[in-house]
Amino acid sequence: MNRSKSLAATSKSITAMARKRSSKTTLIFFLLLSLLAFLSFLPVFASLPSLPSYSHSHDLHFHLPRHQRLHRRQKISVRKFEIAEDKFWKDGKPFQIIGGDLHYFRVLPEYWEDRLLRAKALGLNTVQTYIPWNLHEPEAGKLVFEGIADLVSFLKLCQKLGLLVMLRAGPYICAEWDLGGFPAWLLSIHPDVRLRSSDPAYLQKVEGWWGVLLPKVAPLLYGNGGPIIMVQIENEFGSYGNDKAYLSHLVKLARGHLGEDIILYTTDGGSRETLEKGTIQGDGVFAAVDFTTGDNPWPIFKLQKQFNSPGKSPPLSSEFYTGWLTHWSEKMARTDADFTAAALEKIMLQNGSVVLYMAHGGTNFGFYNGANTGADESDYKPDLTSYDYDAPITESGDVDNAKFKAIRRVMGKFSSVSLPSVPPNNKKTGYGSIQLKRTAFLFDLLDEIDPLHIVEAESPTAMEYLNQMFGFVLYVSEYVAKTGGSKLVIPKVENMGRVNYGPYIFDRKGILSSVYVDGSVLKRWKMISIPFHNLNEVPKFNPVIQVASKFHKVSAGKKLEHKSVGVGGPSFYTGHFSIDTKTEVTDTYISLRGWGKGIAFVNEFNIGRYWPTSGPPCNLYIPAPILRQGENVLVIFELESPNPELMVDSVDQPDFTCGPGQASVHQNEDGKASASLLTPNPLGLRTF
């Protein structure tokens, strides 16, 4: 997303020429024509390399009269998606992209088809998605393409449902995703790698990642029979830097794996400065734009043409903002449905193409939410677990709302086919109140940690250097106070999400400097990693599993010995709720009103962070595929202060009314203004 902005294409009737030539000339011409015909069909053979210069017949095409060019296109039978005459062309016919972002990694795989069908009902013919490197390579050399990371299955499903795909391959994606999609282990490399640059150490890692990723998606390119019509290079680089060598290197890598026929594109804000820095002119890369929803689009599309080759600039807003992101402590960002639909229609009325950001936002499950900064590095603003985004398809997939209806009305005017009927909202159930018990004090579980995993050093060390990318780290040191000796336990440090946009993206977590007490520097530190189950990885020591095991023993009538049950501090609370075997399992929400701040797990699935005292969410969305008939186990890791009654409620609707609500995001602002969250809470927990 552009964070400097807010919401708001063979042969022809040349046979007539052939009749006027001698038989020798005719023979030569026939051989040439045969060669051209062979070359034009070459992309069909996936096992053969693509031609290095698109197609010679493509150049010949533009020397023909316009009526002959159009007639020529109608005869093309090979699958081909291309740009010519300032239009997109699909199989020889003009094509208007009516797209929307829908990220597979923010939706459970069991719901991919449901959400894609709702996107089709909205009027979309194309889906755009990012690919987060950190989801697929959580540890260096450990590749994951299963479950929620099963990219190939998602792409094949798009094709099955008749949706084209615009693939945003990164390696940087932004996306309000931890570290902009970069795996945090890049921050543990010595010497430091310079992300998003021509640094050889960084490029080596990118080459390794793309060497795995791009061969996986190459068979799914449109010319190879798949749904992928375009592949994005980097993301809004013009808002960050001006390293053309870096961008050109990415293009070379992409072409090496994907061939010459696929359309590569960049996305940048609709200003001259960002386009000058972020586009890749001379490399045959299409420059798309995004801009504030309230802006007049056509002067920006006119500017866009200056950064594309003649005839190669179909107007495309590759991020049309249907809503906006929200940080903790802000009011939920909302935009008017009719205003959004009217702005969309201004683009489409003149055959402009558009991609909604977002069509469906989804959820930042686990620890993958990102963060932004404001005026300086300390003005830290982590994003919510919910990525609802005020999109027409809500976090839970609801479509019975004013924005969906308004956008669908506009889309219906320009769709080449009748829109599918609108599916009903998915059923949601409130399963009632859930009584919890305090089952473990965090520090009681430290005995379960292998001493070999406790790091000792003279100075505190960043989490990444401890190979602890998410979760928590406990820092311990001893010092001699002026009034006598004492052991100091520095407050547990929580990674609330790494910065995903802007100049401070190099965002390590933990204690990053010396610690002073009474004017003296503390030495001799012990650092204890406390990992938790994330979306695609389960640590060897997982406190949630330990706690759930203890809970089941209690449920069986066994007494739980708990030496620290009366001690305050970060603790685990466990409860269960049952779904009758004759009852349909549906989505629900867990209401955490009255609780402080923490993480919730349902059946050992990390559904994300809660923080009702900051708001605005009071609830966490629980998709039905996480639940099961019979007993379901809820574990809460509360960091501050539990609800005095140790009670939560399973309810049937979202709630974004919690917290002080002192800040608000306006659709024409940059979306970065909010209160600083870099403060200790009453129990000493620090967020970074």
Side-chain angles (χ1 to χ4, degrees), residues 180-244:
F182 285 127
W185 51 260
L186 288 173
L187 304 181
S188 68
I189 297 174
H190 287 289
D192 292 349
V193 298
R194 290 183 288 112
L195 305 178
R196 307 184 73 184
S197 79
S198 295
D199 177 7
Y202 165 66
L203 291 180
Q204 181 185 34
K205 298 303 181 183
V206 173
E207 290 168 4
W209 161 232
W210 272 15
V212 173
L213 171 66
L214 298 186
K216 282 184 175 291
V217 302
L220 296 168
L221 300 182
Y222 190 79
N224 293 334
I228 303 171
I229 56 172
M230 300 169 66
V231 176
Q232 183 174 303
I233 299 296
E234 244 270 354
N235 188 62
E236 297 169 337
F237 190 73
S239 298
Y240 175 78
N242 192 23
D243 190 340
K244 296 292 187 178

Side-chain angles (χ1 to χ4, degrees), residues 477-508:
S477 181
E478 295 183 359
Y479 78 108
V480 177
K482 293 181 179 179
T483 57
S486 178
K487 178 176 285 189
L488 174 67
V489 178
I490 296 297
K492 178 171 37 55
V493 175
E494 178 187 11
N495 167 13
M496 278 290 290
R498 294 178 180 85
V499 173
N500 59 258
Y501 177 83
Y504 308 114
I505 192 173
F506 201 90
D507 185 18
R508 291 193 180 98

